[in-house]
Amino acid sequence: MREPTGDHPGVSELRTTTPAQLRRLIQANRLAVEYLDLPRTLRQIVEAAVDLVGAPYAAIGVLGTDGMLEQFVHTGMDEATVAAIGDLPVGRGLLAPPSEDPRPVRLGSITDDPRSVGVPAGHPALVSFLGVPLQVRDEVYGHLYLADTEPGAFNQDDQVLVEALATTAGIAIDHARLFGESQRRERWTAVTTEITQELLSASEADALQLVADRVRELAGAALVEVVLTHGSVDPFDDVRADRVSGASGSRVLGRRLPVGDGLVRRCLSTRRPQLVDELLDELLDEQGEPAPRYLPVAECGPAMALPLTSEVGMRGSILVLRDRGQPRFTELDLDVAASLADHAALALDRADARVARVRLDQVDERDRIARDLHDHVVQRLYAAGLGIQSVRSALPEGPLPDRLGAQVDELDATIRQVRTTIFGLHDTGAEDAGLRTKVLAVVAATGHLLSEPPAVTFRGPLDLLVDPPMHEDVEAVVREGLSNAGRHARARNVAVAVEADPSSLVVRVRDDGVGLGAGTRRSGLDNLRIRAERRGGSLVVGAPDAGGTRLTWTVPLGAAAGG
């Protein structure tokens, strides 16, 4: 039996260490730094510690940013025993020595220390204990623990050997973390490059949806929302989820965020990224009570909000959510995600520029049509009217002159209608644009993806039956349908039909391409399906017998919609 001592050891105090132990220490140090993968590194360290001093049990605990155990790797117990014990420790009692004064803890019996809280039910009985901090410079990464069923199993030499291993282990963990962070940065950089290429290309892909999808994948999030400001006086009064990515996206797409959503609104007001450990604590109703009315409670865990700041000011925020109980986001996560959010803001500016360009083209085209109508059609109608009046004046009284007079009146009414149309062509205010105009603008903006201009048909009183809030959905359907037809289906002929009656609105996009292959991003179609289901409708994508793809988006209107 080795005699325990309370003295703090130094390397010069090694007295009974054998050459075999020193060789094992060298081997253990080599194993500790062999891999850059953190989980594998931790496993190598605990196994090397057991072999080094002959302890039956060893564990290594890595601290998170909150000071509690983030990872806990152990050895010495079989799977049945581990299953009987249940949850892993979170870092209390002897497993949580003060990080501000990290010192080794060596006990002949764990009951000798007042911090001991015992072991959980089903755990093997432990008597001796040795805990050593894993420290690099002034930062404590965690602790290496060894335990034995015999009293006084660890002596001073054991402590020195384990401390030497812990020093190497701390450096190995530091390197593994740095390597992990570099890999994460590399993945984020690759996605940022992908987004940039998408923005610089002639593609009409939905860059914001692409950002939401990629952020969710890289951040390990359950839900990502791209929330945009819509208020006319105070933009922050009306903030809605414009793009979503995640299983519960249908619950939040298009929803207005409550005033009590402190995280997003704090991000908007400060124009700085924000982190919280538990979003549920940030969601309050008007009485200050927790109210996650628009989010699943299970997903109101760790969250970060990233500002979308463009040249015109604050456009919105990207809200990233993990499930409750998941690890919190780190400053690294916030930093790399904020960089991607800047590219999302660029996507908004580019979309605005594209709309402005299309609107300018429309103005030019309308001016040309108006000139042609005035210079050719109106003048010819006017000349025809004068000619008929001249013939009428030469005829005697009777029914024939009366009929000619009626035709002159009809020509006058036609001239007035044409002039009204000319004035309407010059009225290009975006706020008053009807659904037909908006659909034609989307077709014009995406027409370069197709070899032939799409055929567009409208049926029914669209502007009377379809409310303006639904216009954005129709634009999204047409844009996604044309984008898929041009980029993935390689279609030559495409037909777009928008039809409305008092009971329903139907948008159809049909092409003669090769169909939607594996390269098609399903997130765009999922977004359209969510938009339809949120309004009580449906999305059907099929392949007609004649070939190609037919996309049919249907939503109820009026009484059929529950209104």
Side-chain angles (χ1 to χ4, degrees), residues 258 260-262 279-285 289-292 294-295 300:
D261 187 350
L279 184 66
L280 190 62
D281 299 334
E282 296 279 329
L283 301 177
L284 305 176
D285 60 16
E289 297 295 329
Y294 75 107
L295 286 171
C300 295

Side-chain angles (χ1 to χ4, degrees), residues 527-552:
N527 192 354
L528 300 186
R529 183 172 289 104
I530 291 173
R531 289 177 181 270
E533 292 174 350
R534 178 165 52 88
R535 297 186 181 279
S538 63
L539 171 71
V540 178
V541 180
D545 294 339
T549 302
R550 179 172 54 202
L551 183 154
T552 305

Side-chain angles (χ1 to χ4, degrees), residues 18 20 102 188 191:
T18 66
W188 282 95
V191 170

